[in-house]
Amino acid sequence: MRLRHVVVLCCVVLNVPLPIAAQSNEAPTAVLEIRSYNLKPGTRDAYHQMLVKEALPMLQRAKVDVVAYGPSLHDADSYYLMRAFPSAAALDKAEEAFYGSEEWKKGLRERVLAAIVNFTTVVIEIDQTTLNALRSTMKAGHD
């Protein structure tokens, strides 16, 4: 999948205008992991609160760069999470450390997994301008 197509997809998911960055000719400088979660019916609001109040602070402590997150617009039971890493190897290392941690295993793991029916992960290379444009959607009022 070409980067421009992914940016267009992300803009649709986030309900934001297509940034000029989508036309960027910059070389990729990072990888972006995009997760799309199908949640059990009726759990999305509680899932969002758990992510904001508990999971995001854990991810921050683990130095994981959360770019954007929130409810999907296409149905009442979908959610997305975007995380950036310097490289695919750094992504693997960060996930191994985070999901292998006692804080995750003895804390949120069961509650998070209990809300998820399934999820899909896409990992792409991305340039800094496009990454910053995606990041700005969170600063623009998404929470």
Side-chain angles (χ1 to χ4, degrees), residues 59-76:
L59 288 163
Q60 290 168 343
R61 285 191 294 278
K63 309 239 185 291
V64 173
D65 181 7
V66 175
V67 175
Y69 58 88
S72 175
L73 299 175
H74 81 285
D75 73 33

Side-chain angles (χ1 to χ4, degrees), residues 41-104:
T43 64
R44 188 167 76 177
D45 290 342
Y47 184 86
H48 177 74
Q49 290 305 311
M50 183 171 39
L51 182 91
V52 170
K53 293 178 180 175
E54 299 178 65
L56 285 179
M58 282 178 66
L59 288 163
Q60 290 168 343
R61 285 191 294 278
K63 309 239 185 291
V64 173
D65 181 7
V66 175
V67 175
Y69 58 88
S72 175
L73 299 175
H74 81 285
D75 73 33
D77 299 315
S78 295
Y79 201 86
Y80 70 91
L81 173 66
M82 297 183 198
R83 303 183 293 187
F85 301 89
S87 66
L91 182 158
D92 291 342
K93 184 176 179 180
E95 285 193 342
E96 184 178 308
F98 181 81
Y99 293 118
S101 72
E102 289 301 309
E103 183 179 19
W104 169 252

Side-chain angles (χ1 to χ4, degrees), residues 19-35:
I20 293 173
Q23 302 166 11
S24 173
N25 290 325
E26 288 180 48
T29 57
V31 296
L32 180 69
E33 177 194 60
I34 305 167
R35 285 199 172 177

Side-chain angles (χ1 to χ4, degrees), residues 97-119:
F98 181 81
Y99 293 118
S101 72
E102 289 301 309
E103 183 179 19
W104 169 252
K105 290 192 276 188
K106 293 186 178 180
L108 286 177
R109 182 179 187 278
E110 284 187 40
R111 288 188 292 144
V112 167
L113 295 179
I116 298 171
V117 174
N118 57 45
F119 68 94

